[in-house]
Amino acid sequence: MSHNPHAAVHEEESVHHEATPDAKSFVTFFVLAGLALLALFVGFSDLGSTKVVASLAVSTVQACVLAYFFMDLRSADKLTWLVAAASIFWTFLMFLFILTDFLTRHLGVL
Amino acid sequence: MFAFMDTPLLPEQASEFSKEYDVLFWYITGVSALGASVVYALLIYCCFAFAKKDGVAPKRILGSNKLEFLWTIIPLMFFLSFFVWGVRQYDYAINPPAETADREYTVVGKQWMWKVQHPTGHREINEITLQEGVAVKITGTSEDVIHDFGIPAFRSKFDVIPGRYTTAWYKPIKVGSYHLFCDQYCGQGHSQMVGKVHVLSQENYAAWLEGLYRVRDGKNPVDGSPAWEGRKLFLKLQCINCHNRESESRAPTLEGIHNTKRALLGGSTVVADDTYLRNSIRNPMLQVRDGWKPIMPAYTRAQVTEEELLNVISYLKSLKPGDLPSRSEMSPAPVGAPNIPDPAVPPVPAPTTGGTR
Amino acid sequence: MAASTVEGPVAHHFNNMGQQLATVRFGMWLFLVTEVLFFGGVFCAYTAYRIWYPKDFEAGSAALNVGIASVNTFLLLASSLTITLAIRAAYVGNQGGLVRNLLLTIVLGSAFLGLKAREYYLDYEEGLMPGTAKVMQKQKVEQNGKEVEIEVAVPKFDIALEEALKREHFKGEAHKDYDPSRVMLFFMFYYSMTGLHVLHMIIGIGLLTWQLILARSGFFAHKSRYVYIEVMSLYWHFVDMVWMFLLPLLYLCGPHTSSQAIEQFKMAIGLSHGGH
Amino acid sequence: MADILLEPARLDYTPQMLPEPEVSFEKHPEHKHYLNHEYGLLSWLLTVDHKRIGLMYLVSVSIFFMFGGIAAGLVRTNLITPTGAILELDQYNKAFTAHGTIMLFLFLIPVIPGVLGNFLVPMMIGAKDMAFPKLNLASYYVWAAGALFFVWQLIVGGLDTGWTLYPPYSSKYSHTSVMYAGLGIFITGFSSILTALNIIATVHKMRCPGMTWGRLPLFVWAMYATSVIQLLGTPVIAVTVAMLAVERMVGVGIFDPNLGGDPILFQHMFWFYSHPAVYIMILPGMGVINEVLTCFARKNIFGYKAVAWSSVGIAVVGFLVWGHHMFLAGQGYYLAMVFALLTMLVAVPSAIKVFNWTATLYGGSITFQAPMLFALGFIILFTIGGVTGLFLGTLGTDIHLHDTYFVIAHFHYTMVGGMMFAWQAGLHFWWPKMTGKMYSDFWSRLAAIVMLVGFALTFLPQFAVGYLGMPRRYPNYPPEFQIYNVLSTAAAYVQGIGYLMPIFYLGYSLFAGKAAGNNPFKATGLEWQTSSPPSPHNFETTPQVYFGPYEYAVADGLKIIPLNDGKIHDIVHEDPDLVGTTPKEATHGS
Ligand code: HEA
Ligand code: HEA
Ligand code: CUA
Ligand SMILES: [Cu+2]
């Protein structure tokens, strides 16, 4: 946020915004496609219980690339980052508490 | 207009936990009253002291970090004290102590009744009878939807959940009968899913286990007690053909017989103690009642084993006026009658998910 | 502070173009927050049960058609590319490119949906539908030392599952490793999650079609309106992102091989006929 | 209390900073405002003006409040006798479910965000409209569509699950219209997401020059925090209800223990939204109280920052306490402990607010018109509602109080004593702004007192009977509880009369009330600096803000003594939010 209270609040963002040139988009696409292949490779391999971790890791990287380049978080302002982070954080909180219950319910008491 | 007049002010303290509970409850009440009083006092003071007066301008006050700090930290301290105390109490209330290990009751909730099974094999419906001073553990589950087994006088409550077991425990300390409520909404009959908790003194409880003590009138001996078994035999052995509610002309009614004086043929009297009852069955001719024909057959060991005989005697001892079954009742009473086991009730489902708390 | 570089009409309640563009973009990001939590809810439920019943979920996954899913992944990624190209086209005022890329995105998305529909149909044919339907089945049981045949009611789903797993050469020791009613739970999630995803795709394709119509009518002649394509792309990318997690959680969770995937895909589009 | 910041005389602006409103309809009757610049039903139904949409919400939610109130009347009347006076068992169950769902989803959640939020947020921040005016209209219609499902659900026989919709009862056993109600919740939820999105975007992007975060009226802060909760929480209930619907439809399930599902999971996901939702139901009310108290005490708010950040604190921590509704439902022991601790933490910001409000009165010049009476009522009642929440949040005590009338009394004290009173305060405060008309002073004050007394007496006995153990959702009860219930019912009628009164005097003021003038309460907010009713675009020119929102002392003619250090002080740059000036600086002046 602006520290100059005289300034109109708007105007500052979106000035540097520019649509991604085609070449860059293609690069992003190939990276994503490569990651997708990797995800399939991991998925078709016989890693046992680490498989789920590995393939989720690949998916997470993929999602990050997608968000950063395709969804233009790269050139987004702080507020947008905050919004994106908040959504992830709150989802995390939901997972944290609910899964805690599922993982600890059977445990005895103190 | 009001049919009852003893409106209670405070709930009964009928379990050990209820006493401790109330201490915490009143502690929180005290702190809350204090906190609210501070707020109200300030409010009243300001409303009077600073009501608009001509010529008096309002002050320009922006705030005070010191005060903000104070009224963050002081309530927080109190709130945390609630928390700590509350956790200890919760811990105490949901962890059955070791002494309850062999006194585990099972309750099964079902739209809309409670079925209780005692460790002794006694079974009750919508009622649970406990002994004063003896801690018991309750394990609950449900056959259909979620219910909640709540006993206000014990300050106890826990949800019973289909497919899972949950537990609670109590140590009743006061003889009496208390409300048992279903506290989790479970459909149309939710408010009918109520019953009673009976806390009995040690003697009465022992008698109750026998089937001799009734927690209320008009009730058969408790399911699972010797007397209850005796009742079944009474029907099975056809005693009911002669001894029944309908008429006394054929054979004497046996209600309230225990320890009363009986007039015998020949003018003598005898006290109907256990031996008398026993003789009356094994060898009725020995002591025939005045006014009746000696038509009662003798029941030999082949017909009634010694064990069964004990149960029958227990039943006879438990008979109160109005208890004797009617002649038509050759088989167990219809489903739904109090204390009759429900043949339609399937066994308790095994837990499929989660664990026990 | 430089004025915005793009021109276009400013709505009455905004002061300038910069404010308008930022607000529109911000609005879509806020909407995506709710989408994240919306999907987060189902994913959370899924995870909870996956923790409880790992084996059953793997069995369920093994019965899915991973071939279609693999191909679909690339279709979606490609559509993410084309929509990005569409933004650029709108941004530089290349109307032809815009229309072309929007169209491509729609085609790719529809291809995804087409394959998905095929997959649902195959699942339906295999009988992998959660439900309480039962069929009578002859079973041999031992009675008094003799073997007799009796008829018992078996849930349809159980039989279908067993056959599907046989077809997929599922290695988990059948009947020991999984409990059909819990695999059914997996299928509930499979249908709900992919169903929600498909729903989002259908809405997305609807919106894209609307934008295509607008594009052809010259709405995007004002370059500043590229922002509407951009927020559309945010939504579309998000849907893509959801798929990135559905793939490992639903399809790759169980044992599959690449040859199996290829075979399944061939079968799905009619190039081969099931049996091995 | 030397520490209290008394009058730092370092403002180099003068009361002229409060400009005279640009237009006055008394002087220029030819001027058009938002109510009369266009006519006809369509001009209302298709309007994208945030003020008109606000009024549309006002009418709709008031109607639903009456429905909900009538259901409450049925519930209370039935409880006059221990055996149930007028209703069959399942009729009663449907009555309290209808009462709960209507009051929450169709009244309390949309009421302040929909009416006051829509009407005021853009004006308070000096904007011409919401960020997305069409979306705003759309969310009204989405809400209305959801409401129709609720109405339909009532027509086809009603719902009997309680507003909490716990499976397996709701998924397998109830024979009532769970599906329609679920759809209703889903759709109205979608509407509240869209409204929230709009408000957040508006607050971020549409503030007029000089309207910094530190100068936002606290109502806007509260609406902002509320919207954050709505945005993050509502999607989860939507998907939860969707899963419930799938389970009910297909007959197999996610929450069904017979198939390996877990009914507790539903409760988790339900309360993940529904606990934060209770803050959706109180934060806007708290925001209103800030505006009303400062105006009628002619004071700056005490501790602006503390009040603003406590809203945000409630919004964030409020998400982490949902498990206190499930202490006895069979969730994990350790988790219950964590939730209990966080519950205690989330109570602190509310306490901070209450204390700041009382301190705001200190040193004021208080008048007691109806809005102020409602606001004082709010503080009194919400305090009781709040502290009784602590009984429930304490693990030990909740064992006994869970699902008894103690809980009922707790949440009516917070929701009715809190939000309902704040709503009345806000409605009475801004009514002149919305309509340009002034209502009867006498009748409005009387109504405030009737509501307060009626309310307090309705629910006080319920604390007692709850502690005695009377379970909620019971159409009949042990006879020894009757006296309490009769008292409660009697007072509920009084309360009902109280709620009917505004319909008459507010309605009367519409047609025969005297013109209110642009700023009848001499308030300082931006919304008061324009005409009453406002013109279609709120302000003739975009306002420029130079100071914080509550400079009542200055407005009332407090003498400003310039600092004697020879410099010209730019209050705006040096101290944009006017809070936290140190005492040392403050001594500069007098
Ligand atoms: C507007 C709505 C609203 C609000 C604001 C609150 C606020 C709070 N609620 Fe309430 N609650 C509900 C609405 C609300 N609640 C509803 C609807 C239910 C029932 C749902 C259902 O089952 O149907 C419920 C149920 C409920 C339960 C579950 C009970 C049960 O079913 O067993 C609990 C348990 O922890 C709880 C706790 C709290 C707490 C700790 C607060 C705190 O936020 C309160 C904080 C405020 C204060 C503490 C007061 C101000 C403080 C002071 C003046 C300081 C001085 C005081 C001291 C020093 C002590 N609430
Ligand atoms: C905004 C929320 C809100 C509001 C305003 C109210 C307002 C009232 N509530 Fe409500 N209540 C809830 C939310 C609310 N309630 C919820 C969420 C539940 C839980 C439901 C569940 O368990 O699922 C509940 C449950 C509930 C119960 C418990 C039912 C039970 O568990 O068995 C009771 C019982 O007394 C009750 C009473 C009242 C009363 C007397 C009012 C009064 O304040 C209402 C006063 C208003 C009017 C009366 C309307 C205006 C007057 C007229 C239209 C005139 C005609 C009316 C008469 C002559 C009576 N409510
Ligand atoms: Cu069983 Cu309520
Ligand atoms: Cu809560």
Side-chain angles (χ1 to χ4, degrees), chain B residues 32-109:
Chain B
S32 300
L34 190 81
S37 308
V38 172
V39 173
Y40 292 168
L42 255 165
L43 217 57
I44 293 170
Y45 167 73
C46 290
C47 284
F48 282 102
F50 300 106
K52 185 183 168 90
K53 290 183 208 80
D54 284 338
V56 181
K59 299 197 177 75
R60 185 167 182 278
I61 305 174
L62 296 179
S64 150
N65 289 340
K66 211 183 263 174
L67 278 179
E68 298 294 348
F69 180 75
L70 273 184
W71 61 50
T72 305
I73 232 51
I74 296 178
L76 181 65
M77 285 300 144
F78 279 119
F79 296 172
L80 288 181
S81 74
F82 301 165
F83 165 71
V84 173
W85 195 339
V87 166
R88 290 181 47 180
Q89 220 168 63
Y90 185 70
D91 193 45
Y92 175 85
I94 69 167
N95 281 324
E99 57 179 302
T100 61
D102 55 346
R103 283 192 292 272
E104 183 167 347
Y105 289 55
T106 316
V107 298
V108 179

Side-chain angles (χ1 to χ4, degrees), chain D residues 109 139 187-197 230-231 234 273:
Chain D
I109 290 176
S139 55
I187 296 172
T188 51
F190 199 60
S191 151
S192 87
I193 289 175
L194 296 181
T195 308
L197 188 159
Q230 282 178 308
L231 198 69
T234 320
Y273 164 74

Side-chain angles (χ1 to χ4, degrees), chain C residues 153-171:
Chain C
V154 186
K156 241 176 161 170
F157 179 83
D158 296 13
I159 302 169
L161 179 69
E162 206 178 308
E163 278 167 14
L165 288 180
K166 229 181 271 162
R167 254 200 311 283
E168 313 293 350
H169 305 295
F170 179 55
K171 286 199 285 294

Side-chain angles (χ1 to χ4, degrees), chain C residues 12-15 19 22-23 26-27 30-31 33-34 37-38 41-42 45 49 52-53 130 132 181 184-185 188-189, chain D residues 128-133 193 197 200-201 204-206 231-232 235 239 246 250 252-254 259-262 265 269 537:
Chain C
H12 78 275
H13 57 295
F14 291 113
N15 289 331
Q19 186 190 18
T23 309
F26 184 54
L30 287 177
F31 182 69
V33 171
T34 72
L37 275 125
F38 188 82
V42 216
Y49 293 129
W52 270 3
Y53 314 126
T132 44
S181 76
M184 192 126 87
L185 202 60
M188 288 296 298
F189 279 108
Chain D
K128 294 197 196 83
D129 205 324
M130 293 287 234
F132 307 108
I193 289 175
L197 188 159
I200 297 182
H204 268 286
K205 302 290 183 191
M206 308 293 284
L231 198 69
L232 291 164
V239 78
V246 169
V250 186
V252 293
I254 299 167
L259 288 166
D262 180 22
L265 180 68
M269 296 184 64
H537 290 313

Side-chain angles (χ1 to χ4, degrees), chain B residues 28 31-32 35-36 39 74-75 78-79 82, chain D residues 104 108 163-164 271 275 278-279 281-282 324-325 327 343-344 346-348 350-351 354-355 382-383 385-390 392-394 398 401-403 407 410-411 414-415 419 472-473:
Chain B
I28 301 181
V31 174
S32 300
V39 173
I74 296 178
F78 279 119
F79 296 172
F82 301 165
Chain D
L104 294 185
L108 209 61
W163 80 282
T164 46
W271 291 113
H275 178 81
V278 310
Y279 294 118
M281 299 173 210
I282 197 71
H324 65 209
H325 296 270
F327 283 157
T343 300
M344 291 301 145
V346 81
V348 173
S350 302
V354 169
F355 286 117
F382 176 73
T383 300
V387 295
T388 49
L390 298 171
L392 302 171
T394 305
D398 188 54
L401 299 173
H402 174 66
D403 271 351
V407 177
H410 154 68
F411 70 68
T414 48
M415 298 202 298
M419 185 68 157
R472 62 192 283 203
R473 299 172 172 173

Side-chain angles (χ1 to χ4, degrees), chain B residues 5-173:
Chain B
M5 262 348 279
D6 40 359
T7 296
L9 282 179
L10 298 175
E12 206 98 46
Q13 291 181 324
S15 73
E16 207 173 65
F17 177 64
S18 65
K19 295 215 151 134
E20 295 181 31
Y21 176 93
D22 284 355
V23 179
L24 175 56
F25 182 87
W26 290 112
Y27 168 69
I28 301 181
T29 311
V31 174
S32 300
L34 190 81
S37 308
V38 172
V39 173
Y40 292 168
L42 255 165
L43 217 57
I44 293 170
Y45 167 73
C46 290
C47 284
F48 282 102
F50 300 106
K52 185 183 168 90
K53 290 183 208 80
D54 284 338
V56 181
K59 299 197 177 75
R60 185 167 182 278
I61 305 174
L62 296 179
S64 150
N65 289 340
K66 211 183 263 174
L67 278 179
E68 298 294 348
F69 180 75
L70 273 184
W71 61 50
T72 305
I73 232 51
I74 296 178
L76 181 65
M77 285 300 144
F78 279 119
F79 296 172
L80 288 181
S81 74
F82 301 165
F83 165 71
V84 173
W85 195 339
V87 166
R88 290 181 47 180
Q89 220 168 63
Y90 185 70
D91 193 45
Y92 175 85
I94 69 167
N95 281 324
E99 57 179 302
T100 61
D102 55 346
R103 283 192 292 272
E104 183 167 347
Y105 289 55
T106 316
V107 298
V108 179
K110 171 186 179 211
Q111 278 176 334
W112 292 278
M113 53 158 54
W114 292 108
K115 291 179 290 186
V116 179
Q117 168 104 45
H118 291 241
T120 48
H122 294 66
R123 295 206 273 170
E124 293 179 272
I125 285 186
N126 290 340
E127 258 163 312
I128 177 164
T129 306
L130 303 169
Q131 182 184 346
E132 182 192 5
V134 174
V136 296
K137 176 180 173 186
I138 314 280
T139 298
T141 187
S142 163
E143 278 173 26
D144 36 45
V145 302
I146 303 176
H147 305 274
D148 186 294
F149 192 75
I151 305 173
F154 292 170
R155 312 288 184 276
S156 169
K157 192 172 287 171
F158 67 106
D159 278 14
V160 297
I161 304 160
R164 260 182 81 184
Y165 292 125
T166 44
T167 57
W169 74 279
Y170 347 99
K171 185 169 185 175
I173 53 167

